[in-house]
Amino acid sequence: MLDPKTLQFLAKLKKNNSREWFNQHRDNYEAAKENFIELVNQILANTSQFDQDLSLLTYKDCIFRINRDVRFSKNKDPYKNNMAAYFVKGGKKSWLAGYYFHCEPGGKSFIGGGLYGGEPNQIKKVRQEIDYNWSAFKGILENKSFKKTFGDLSREEGMSLIREPKGYEKDNPAIDYIKLKNFIVSVPVTDEELTDKKLIKKIITCFTAMQPLLQFLNTAMED
C-alpha cells in the first residue's frame, strides 16, 4: 500500500508545479519517493518469483524520474504529476514488453503492461507471430484468468489501423489483433485502492495474468 501522504504530495504538486514550490517541499517529495520505492521493491520480490527475467533488477532499474523533459513539449511544467515504474528484462529503457504501474491521484492510476510504441520492425514481428501462432495467442486471450482480469487487449481510439496491414487479408481470423499498433492491457486503480493493504495483491494478480502475453510478445521480437 501507499501512504496517503504520498498521494497528497502528488495532488499538491499538480496544483503547484514549479521548481520553487518543489524545492520548498523537497522533504515531502523524498518521503513520497521512499514510500514508492518500498512498493516497487515489494512488487519486484513477488513478480520475480514467477518471472525470472526480473530477478536481477533493482528499484533503480524500474522507477522513472519525476522530472519532465520539456525540450520538445508545449507543456513546460518541470515535474510529472505521477510516480511510475516499468518492470522488464534489462530495465525501464528496454524495448521489450513489460509490466507497468502508474500512480496518479485523481482517478488516473492503473496497472498495465505489454508493448507500447514499438518500432516498426518489432510490430511487424509481433503481427507475424500472431498470424503464424493464432491458436496459441487466442489461447492466451481466452485464458480464464486473463479474461477475468483484463477482458481483452486495449482497443482505445488510435490503437488500431483502419485497414489491414500489407500482406494480410480481411478474412484472416486474427485480423483484429494484427491491425493493432500497440499490444497492451490495463486495469484502473482507484485512490482508495492505492492506500489499501490489498494493493500489492491486486498488482501481482494483474502481473501474473499478463505474463503469458508478455512472453508471447517478447518471444516474437527476440526471434
Side-chain angles (χ1 to χ4, degrees):
M1 60 184 287
L2 290 171
D3 191 315
K5 291 181 180 179
T6 297
L7 305 192
Q8 292 169 12
F9 170 79
L10 290 173
K12 290 178 180 178
L13 176 59
K14 184 176 182 179
K15 296 179 180 179
N16 305 275
N17 203 316
S18 70
R19 288 185 174 84
E20 181 180 7
W21 184 91
F22 190 89
N23 287 331
Q24 291 174 350
H25 297 81
R26 184 167 289 278
D27 288 347
N28 301 109
Y29 163 65
E30 293 296 341
K33 180 181 177 181
E34 285 303 313
N35 182 223
F36 192 70
I37 288 173
E38 290 176 10
L39 178 66
V40 168
N41 281 332
Q42 289 181 36
I43 294 172
L44 277 172
N46 282 271
T47 309
S48 60
Q49 292 183 22
F50 60 84
D51 191 333
Q52 291 298 310
D53 286 339
L54 307 185
S55 60
L56 298 179
L57 296 181
T58 70
Y59 73 86
K60 291 182 180 180
D61 300 313
C62 307
I63 296 177
F64 291 100
R65 296 179 60 196
I66 199 165
N67 302 74
R68 294 184 64 251
D69 184 350
V70 301
R71 291 175 298 172
F72 308 107
S73 175
K74 292 182 179 180
N75 180 359
K76 297 302 180 181
D77 288 347
Y79 305 104
K80 301 171 186 174
N81 302 317
N82 66 76
M83 290 184 170
Y86 191 46
F87 306 85
V88 62
K89 179 182 177 181
K92 56 181 178 281
K93 294 183 179 180
S94 172
W95 48 268
L96 293 171
Y99 314 86
Y100 181 73
F101 176 66
H102 184 96
C103 171
E104 183 175 355
K108 296 185 178 181
S109 302
F110 65 93
I111 301 162
L115 177 65
Y116 182 83
E119 296 294 329
N121 188 52
Q122 294 174 295
I123 301 300
K124 181 179 180 181
K125 286 183 175 182
V126 170
R127 287 172 174 159
Q128 188 176 65
E129 189 72 13
I130 292 173
D131 183 35
Y132 287 174
N133 292 297
W134 170 234
S135 60
F137 189 71
K138 186 179 180 181
I140 292 172
L141 302 181
E142 293 182 346
N143 176 271
K144 184 178 180 180
S145 178
F146 183 90
K147 288 186 69 69
K148 180 181 179 181
T149 306
F150 306 111
D152 198 356
L153 296 187
S154 178
R155 300 298 187 87
E156 294 179 12
E157 187 176 353
M159 285 285 188
S160 180
L161 297 172
I162 297 175
R163 298 188 179 186
E164 60 278 359
K166 183 178 180 180
Y168 296 97
E169 301 298 328
K170 292 181 179 180
D171 59 356
N172 188 308
I175 198 61
D176 286 343
Y177 296 96
I178 291 173
K179 287 167 65 176
L180 289 175
K181 294 186 287 185
N182 297 295
F183 304 86
I184 61 174
V185 292
S186 67
V187 172
V189 180
T190 66
D191 289 0
E192 291 74 21
E193 287 177 313
L194 288 174
T195 57
D196 191 291
K197 292 181 179 180
K198 295 180 181 178
L199 174 63
I200 187 69
K201 181 179 179 180
K202 178 169 183 171
I203 293 172
I204 299 307
T205 296
C206 291
F207 283 9
T208 303
M210 78 172 76
Q211 197 269 340
L213 171 66
L214 302 186
Q215 187 175 38
F216 182 95
L217 297 173
N218 287 333
T219 296
M221 292 187 289
E222 291 180 311
D223 282 348

Tab-separated table of all heavy atoms in Angstrom, residues 100-131:
chain	number	residue	atom	x	y	z
A	100	TYR	N	3.756	-2.604	-15.989
A	100	TYR	CA	3.797	-1.172	-15.681
A	100	TYR	C	2.819	-0.831	-14.562
A	100	TYR	O	1.703	-1.358	-14.517
A	100	TYR	CB	3.420	-0.391	-16.947
A	100	TYR	CG	3.445	1.119	-16.791
A	100	TYR	CD1	4.644	1.816	-16.711
A	100	TYR	CD2	2.254	1.845	-16.738
A	100	TYR	CE1	4.668	3.202	-16.591
A	100	TYR	CE2	2.271	3.235	-16.613
A	100	TYR	CZ	3.474	3.907	-16.545
A	100	TYR	OH	3.502	5.277	-16.415
A	101	PHE	N	3.273	0.049	-13.669
A	101	PHE	CA	2.393	0.555	-12.606
A	101	PHE	C	2.476	2.074	-12.593
A	101	PHE	O	3.562	2.649	-12.567
A	101	PHE	CB	2.787	0.001	-11.242
A	101	PHE	CG	1.964	0.580	-10.117
A	101	PHE	CD1	0.604	0.309	-10.029
A	101	PHE	CD2	2.534	1.410	-9.165
A	101	PHE	CE1	-0.172	0.861	-9.010
A	101	PHE	CE2	1.782	1.958	-8.139
A	101	PHE	CZ	0.414	1.682	-8.063
A	102	HIS	N	1.306	2.712	-12.602
A	102	HIS	CA	1.205	4.167	-12.703
A	102	HIS	C	0.379	4.687	-11.543
A	102	HIS	O	-0.804	4.342	-11.398
A	102	HIS	CB	0.536	4.527	-14.032
A	102	HIS	CG	0.455	5.992	-14.311
A	102	HIS	ND1	1.389	6.646	-15.076
A	102	HIS	CD2	-0.456	6.932	-13.944
A	102	HIS	CE1	1.063	7.926	-15.176
A	102	HIS	NE2	-0.054	8.132	-14.497
A	103	CYS	N	0.999	5.527	-10.705
A	103	CYS	CA	0.317	6.118	-9.558
A	103	CYS	C	0.095	7.603	-9.797
A	103	CYS	O	1.053	8.383	-9.844
A	103	CYS	CB	1.155	5.906	-8.299
A	103	CYS	SG	0.551	6.810	-6.860
A	104	GLU	N	-1.169	7.981	-9.963
A	104	GLU	CA	-1.523	9.384	-10.183
A	104	GLU	C	-2.893	9.651	-9.568
A	104	GLU	O	-3.919	9.241	-10.119
A	104	GLU	CB	-1.535	9.715	-11.673
A	104	GLU	CG	-1.814	11.178	-11.959
A	104	GLU	CD	-1.695	11.519	-13.435
A	104	GLU	OE1	-1.304	10.637	-14.231
A	104	GLU	OE2	-2.000	12.662	-13.797
A	105	PRO	N	-2.933	10.286	-8.411
A	105	PRO	CA	-4.213	10.534	-7.740
A	105	PRO	C	-5.174	11.325	-8.617
A	105	PRO	O	-4.763	12.057	-9.513
A	105	PRO	CB	-3.815	11.326	-6.495
A	105	PRO	CG	-2.476	11.898	-6.806
A	105	PRO	CD	-1.810	10.895	-7.690
A	106	GLY	N	-6.465	11.125	-8.320
A	106	GLY	CA	-7.485	11.776	-9.127
A	106	GLY	C	-8.116	10.822	-10.119
A	106	GLY	O	-8.685	11.222	-11.136
A	107	GLY	N	-7.978	9.508	-9.840
A	107	GLY	CA	-8.592	8.505	-10.711
A	107	GLY	C	-7.810	8.181	-11.962
A	107	GLY	O	-8.370	7.620	-12.912
A	108	LYS	N	-6.521	8.488	-11.988
A	108	LYS	CA	-5.717	8.244	-13.187
A	108	LYS	C	-4.670	7.146	-12.998
A	108	LYS	O	-3.820	6.950	-13.857
A	108	LYS	CB	-5.035	9.537	-13.629
A	108	LYS	CG	-6.010	10.619	-14.066
A	108	LYS	CD	-5.279	11.842	-14.603
A	108	LYS	CE	-6.268	12.897	-15.085
A	108	LYS	NZ	-5.568	14.095	-15.633
A	109	SER	N	-4.738	6.443	-11.882
A	109	SER	CA	-3.784	5.365	-11.627
A	109	SER	C	-4.225	4.087	-12.343
A	109	SER	O	-5.422	3.856	-12.529
A	109	SER	CB	-3.676	5.094	-10.124
A	109	SER	OG	-3.273	6.259	-9.427
A	110	PHE	N	-3.257	3.265	-12.725
A	110	PHE	CA	-3.607	1.995	-13.373
A	110	PHE	C	-2.445	1.014	-13.331
A	110	PHE	O	-1.284	1.393	-13.138
A	110	PHE	CB	-4.063	2.209	-14.819
A	110	PHE	CG	-2.997	2.751	-15.743
A	110	PHE	CD1	-2.206	1.892	-16.492
A	110	PHE	CD2	-2.793	4.119	-15.870
A	110	PHE	CE1	-1.221	2.383	-17.351
A	110	PHE	CE2	-1.812	4.631	-16.728
A	110	PHE	CZ	-1.034	3.755	-17.467
A	111	ILE	N	-2.800	-0.247	-13.515
A	111	ILE	CA	-1.841	-1.337	-13.662
A	111	ILE	C	-1.922	-1.766	-15.116
A	111	ILE	O	-3.018	-2.003	-15.632
A	111	ILE	CB	-2.209	-2.529	-12.753
A	111	ILE	CG1	-2.251	-2.092	-11.286
A	111	ILE	CG2	-1.218	-3.675	-12.948
A	111	ILE	CD1	-3.009	-3.060	-10.405
A	112	GLY	N	-0.785	-1.838	-15.782
A	112	GLY	CA	-0.824	-2.190	-17.195
A	112	GLY	C	0.402	-2.954	-17.631
A	112	GLY	O	1.229	-3.362	-16.820
A	113	GLY	N	0.528	-3.111	-18.932
A	113	GLY	CA	1.689	-3.804	-19.460
A	113	GLY	C	1.510	-4.175	-20.914
A	113	GLY	O	0.433	-4.010	-21.489
A	114	GLY	N	2.601	-4.648	-21.507
A	114	GLY	CA	2.560	-5.032	-22.907
A	114	GLY	C	3.600	-4.291	-23.709
A	114	GLY	O	4.618	-3.835	-23.183
A	115	LEU	N	3.327	-4.112	-24.991
A	115	LEU	CA	4.227	-3.412	-25.908
A	115	LEU	C	3.534	-2.151	-26.387
A	115	LEU	O	2.511	-2.201	-27.073
A	115	LEU	CB	4.574	-4.305	-27.100
A	115	LEU	CG	5.467	-3.661	-28.175
A	115	LEU	CD1	6.844	-3.343	-27.596
A	115	LEU	CD2	5.600	-4.578	-29.386
A	116	TYR	N	4.115	-0.998	-26.028
A	116	TYR	CA	3.538	0.292	-26.404
A	116	TYR	C	4.591	1.120	-27.138
A	116	TYR	O	5.713	1.254	-26.680
A	116	TYR	CB	3.071	1.045	-25.159
A	116	TYR	CG	2.405	2.368	-25.460
A	116	TYR	CD1	1.060	2.418	-25.816
A	116	TYR	CD2	3.119	3.560	-25.404
A	116	TYR	CE1	0.436	3.621	-26.106
A	116	TYR	CE2	2.517	4.773	-25.691
A	116	TYR	CZ	1.169	4.801	-26.039
A	116	TYR	OH	0.548	5.999	-26.335
A	117	GLY	N	4.213	1.670	-28.281
A	117	GLY	CA	5.141	2.500	-29.036
A	117	GLY	C	6.325	1.744	-29.591
A	117	GLY	O	7.435	2.273	-29.643
A	118	GLY	N	6.107	0.509	-30.008
A	118	GLY	CA	7.194	-0.302	-30.538
A	118	GLY	C	7.679	0.194	-31.896
A	118	GLY	O	6.962	0.886	-32.621
A	119	GLU	N	8.909	-0.173	-32.239
A	119	GLU	CA	9.469	0.166	-33.541
A	119	GLU	C	8.746	-0.642	-34.630
A	119	GLU	O	8.230	-1.734	-34.365
A	119	GLU	CB	10.963	-0.153	-33.573
A	119	GLU	CG	11.800	0.674	-32.602
A	119	GLU	CD	11.816	2.140	-32.982
A	119	GLU	OE1	11.738	2.447	-34.195
A	119	GLU	OE2	11.899	2.990	-32.061
A	120	PRO	N	8.701	-0.109	-35.858
A	120	PRO	CA	8.012	-0.809	-36.956
A	120	PRO	C	8.417	-2.269	-37.116
A	120	PRO	O	7.565	-3.130	-37.351
A	120	PRO	CB	8.393	0.026	-38.189
A	120	PRO	CG	8.582	1.401	-37.644
A	120	PRO	CD	9.227	1.199	-36.293
A	121	ASN	N	9.717	-2.546	-36.985
A	121	ASN	CA	10.182	-3.921	-37.138
A	121	ASN	C	9.669	-4.818	-36.021
A	121	ASN	O	9.360	-6.001	-36.243
A	121	ASN	CB	11.714	-3.963	-37.176
A	121	ASN	CG	12.245	-5.330	-37.532
A	121	ASN	OD1	11.846	-5.915	-38.536
A	121	ASN	ND2	13.149	-5.858	-36.706
A	122	GLN	N	9.557	-4.251	-34.800
A	122	GLN	CA	9.022	-5.018	-33.678
A	122	GLN	C	7.545	-5.348	-33.912
A	122	GLN	O	7.114	-6.489	-33.702
A	122	GLN	CB	9.167	-4.219	-32.380
A	122	GLN	CG	10.592	-3.986	-31.930
A	122	GLN	CD	10.648	-3.058	-30.729
A	122	GLN	OE1	10.292	-1.899	-30.819
A	122	GLN	NE2	11.074	-3.590	-29.603
A	123	ILE	N	6.803	-4.335	-34.322
A	123	ILE	CA	5.370	-4.527	-34.587
A	123	ILE	C	5.177	-5.558	-35.700
A	123	ILE	O	4.285	-6.412	-35.622
A	123	ILE	CB	4.706	-3.196	-34.992
A	123	ILE	CG1	4.884	-2.144	-33.887
A	123	ILE	CG2	3.226	-3.408	-35.294
A	123	ILE	CD1	4.279	-2.536	-32.564
A	124	LYS	N	6.016	-5.506	-36.701
A	124	LYS	CA	5.940	-6.455	-37.813
A	124	LYS	C	6.139	-7.878	-37.317
A	124	LYS	O	5.408	-8.803	-37.719
A	124	LYS	CB	6.992	-6.107	-38.866
A	124	LYS	CG	6.977	-7.028	-40.080
A	124	LYS	CD	8.039	-6.602	-41.091
A	124	LYS	CE	8.034	-7.525	-42.310
A	124	LYS	NZ	9.082	-7.132	-43.299
A	125	LYS	N	7.120	-8.069	-36.430
A	125	LYS	CA	7.403	-9.399	-35.897
A	125	LYS	C	6.236	-9.915	-35.044
A	125	LYS	O	5.890	-11.097	-35.110
A	125	LYS	CB	8.679	-9.371	-35.066
A	125	LYS	CG	9.951	-9.264	-35.886
A	125	LYS	CD	11.173	-9.330	-34.983
A	125	LYS	CE	12.462	-9.343	-35.790
A	125	LYS	NZ	13.662	-9.453	-34.927
A	126	VAL	N	5.652	-9.034	-34.244
A	126	VAL	CA	4.521	-9.438	-33.395
A	126	VAL	C	3.330	-9.824	-34.254
A	126	VAL	O	2.675	-10.846	-34.006
A	126	VAL	CB	4.141	-8.307	-32.418
A	126	VAL	CG1	2.824	-8.635	-31.716
A	126	VAL	CG2	5.243	-8.099	-31.388
A	127	ARG	N	3.040	-9.040	-35.268
A	127	ARG	CA	1.921	-9.355	-36.165
A	127	ARG	C	2.134	-10.703	-36.858
A	127	ARG	O	1.203	-11.498	-36.974
A	127	ARG	CB	1.759	-8.243	-37.209
A	127	ARG	CG	1.175	-6.959	-36.641
A	127	ARG	CD	1.213	-5.831	-37.648
A	127	ARG	NE	0.513	-4.650	-37.129
A	127	ARG	CZ	0.695	-3.417	-37.573
A	127	ARG	NH1	1.552	-3.191	-38.563
A	127	ARG	NH2	0.006	-2.408	-37.052
A	128	GLN	N	3.351	-10.929	-37.276
A	128	GLN	CA	3.667	-12.189	-37.936
A	128	GLN	C	3.501	-13.366	-36.978
A	128	GLN	O	2.968	-14.421	-37.358
A	128	GLN	CB	5.104	-12.144	-38.465
A	128	GLN	CG	5.485	-13.329	-39.336
A	128	GLN	CD	6.887	-13.173	-39.894
A	128	GLN	OE1	7.865	-13.166	-39.148
A	128	GLN	NE2	6.994	-13.015	-41.198
A	129	GLU	N	3.928	-13.177	-35.729
A	129	GLU	CA	3.808	-14.245	-34.732
A	129	GLU	C	2.341	-14.543	-34.429
A	129	GLU	O	1.951	-15.703	-34.254
A	129	GLU	CB	4.539	-13.850	-33.450
A	129	GLU	CG	4.669	-14.973	-32.427
A	129	GLU	CD	5.663	-16.042	-32.852
A	129	GLU	OE1	6.439	-15.808	-33.811
A	129	GLU	OE2	5.661	-17.113	-32.223
A	130	ILE	N	1.524	-13.497	-34.347
A	130	ILE	CA	0.085	-13.688	-34.105
A	130	ILE	C	-0.533	-14.459	-35.268
A	130	ILE	O	-1.353	-15.359	-35.069
A	130	ILE	CB	-0.620	-12.330	-33.921
A	130	ILE	CG1	-0.168	-11.663	-32.621
A	130	ILE	CG2	-2.147	-12.517	-33.924
A	130	ILE	CD1	-0.692	-10.251	-32.441
A	131	ASP	N	-0.126	-14.125	-36.479
A	131	ASP	CA	-0.640	-14.802	-37.669
A	131	ASP	C	-0.216	-16.266	-37.700
A	131	ASP	O	-1.034	-17.160	-37.929
A	131	ASP	CB	-0.137	-14.072	-38.917
A	131	ASP	CG	-0.686	-14.670	-40.207
A	131	ASP	OD1	-1.850	-15.133	-40.208
A	131	ASP	OD2	0.044	-14.666	-41.216
